[in-house]
Amino acid sequence: MTLVTPAPAATASPAGPVSAAYARLTEVFPSLRIDELAPDERLPHGAGWVRTADLAQDGPALDSFLAWDNAQVLKDYGQQARPDVVASFGLHRYAWPACLLITIPWFLHRRVPRFPASHVSFQRALGRMAVRVTDFACLPGDPAARLPGAHVVPDEEALRAEVRAAVADHLQPVLEGFGPRMRRRGRALWGMATDEIVEGLWYVGHLLGEERRAMTELERLLPGATKPYVGKAAFRELTGPDGETLPTRDRASCCLFYTLRPEDTCVTCPRTCDADRIARLSGTAAA
């Protein structure tokens, strides 16, 4: 029998330094809700919840997690994907929201929480994450600097370094767990991490009505040569049929979706030529 720890209620703990950012995220993107745990609460597990630390172990929890992705591929595309493709999809479905745990508080309030793998649980089917917030970085003059766990850094560049370090610290054990299943190592895995940081905040920035600011912030966050990340934010602009500007970027990694639908690559995939990007982006803009 599987023991189930109930999911935390949305009001489980008093408002903390990142609570407002998570609430705003859910307002514009209801598919993701982040619950903050009280100090005495355990991370939920069972009933679809998986603890991040368990995913990092490359064991039964990861087997179960990827079985969901495998079933989803069969349902959506009517064919069996390669095991490494399934693992790549599974990592994306975890890493995309996990990066937002850190980038959204930074983008909205200039606060950067730290989340060891042992401080996060994920419920993919419900679009929920449960987190334990203990430490965060902020700038001088931030009222939150007086809160327990605050670490004051001198300026914006130091805070960007905190973002890069926080994401790397959280994702490194996860990448180590997924890596053998994906048949990828080192640079390829960190290329995926780079893409998850950029594309998650870029998308939510659009929902917030701040797409351009999100792009500018991401270019400063990932200017290149910021190991372990690979490449830059890599934004560029195309010109649409009516002279409109169409922002795009080139991914640092491949999501392998082409193995299921060779004719239907992602719009930011290096395999997608600019003519196809313009046609798809201008069609989306018109819609």
Side-chain angles (χ1 to χ4, degrees):
M1 179 180 295
T2 301
L3 297 178
V4 177
T5 301
T11 56
S13 60
V18 296
S19 301
Y22 293 158
R24 181 68 178 126
L25 171 61
T26 300
E27 285 178 8
V28 299
F29 187 54
S31 298
L32 179 60
R33 190 180 102 189
I34 301 166
D35 298 323
E36 296 175 61
L37 298 171
D40 59 345
E41 284 186 288
R42 294 183 178 180
L43 287 173
H45 68 283
W49 285 90
V50 60
R51 293 173 293 204
T52 303
D54 293 335
L55 288 180
Q57 296 303 310
D58 188 15
L62 186 54
D63 290 337
S64 178
F65 189 82
L66 295 179
W68 188 96
D69 288 283
N70 189 61
Q72 197 71 21
V73 168
L74 289 170
K75 176 184 175 183
D76 291 346
Y77 306 110
Q79 61 181 292
Q80 180 66 60
R82 297 186 332 228
D84 60 309
V85 174
V86 171
S88 295
F89 288 3
L91 176 62
H92 164 68
R93 289 183 174 126
Y94 176 79
W96 194 92
C99 288
L100 290 171
L101 292 175
I102 296 161
T103 59
I104 281 295
W106 166 67
F107 182 70
L108 292 177
H109 302 298
R110 288 302 191 257
R111 296 169 186 170
V112 181
R114 288 274 187 154
F115 291 114
S118 59
H119 285 195
V120 179
S121 278
F122 182 40
Q123 220 292 5
R124 174 172 44 189
L126 298 178
R128 291 177 65 184
M129 303 190 87
V131 300
R132 177 169 290 110
V133 181
T134 56
D135 304 295
F136 67 98
C138 62
L139 293 170
D142 186 333
R146 298 189 293 270
L147 296 176
H151 169 54
V152 179
V153 298
D155 53 34
E156 291 279 1
E157 180 50 42
L159 199 64
R160 285 190 283 270
E162 290 286 335
V163 175
R164 292 189 290 264
V167 174
D169 287 351
H170 182 77
L171 286 186
Q172 183 171 0
V174 178
L175 297 180
E176 290 174 355
F178 276 82
R181 312 289 186 106
M182 297 167 61
R183 299 191 300 184
R184 299 190 192 188
R185 295 292 188 275
R187 182 178 176 83
L189 291 172
W190 285 106
M192 292 189 70
T194 303
D195 289 329
E196 303 300 355
I197 293 171
V198 175
E199 299 203 350
L201 185 57
W202 183 23
Y203 178 73
V204 175
H206 170 74
L207 297 180
L208 290 164
E210 296 191 75
E211 180 179 12
R212 286 292 173 180
R213 184 169 80 84
M215 293 167 66
T216 299
E217 296 282 12
L218 286 163
E219 287 172 334
R220 293 170 177 162
L221 179 69
L222 295 167
T226 49
K227 292 183 178 181
Y229 304 104
V230 175
K232 304 178 181 181
F235 289 112
R236 57 192 181 92
E237 293 184 346
L238 301 173
T239 301
D242 297 320
E244 70 274 29
T245 297
L246 302 171
T248 188
R249 69 176 297 264
D250 295 313
R251 290 177 56 90
S253 68
C254 181
C255 70
L256 303 180
F257 183 69
Y258 78 92
T259 63
L260 296 174
R261 292 291 187 271
E263 72 287 353
D264 188 17
T265 56
C266 303
V267 74
T268 56
C269 179
R271 294 170 177 266
T272 306
C273 69
D274 283 356
D276 287 345
R277 294 186 190 212
I278 290 169
R280 292 163 65 178
L281 291 170
S282 58
T284 301

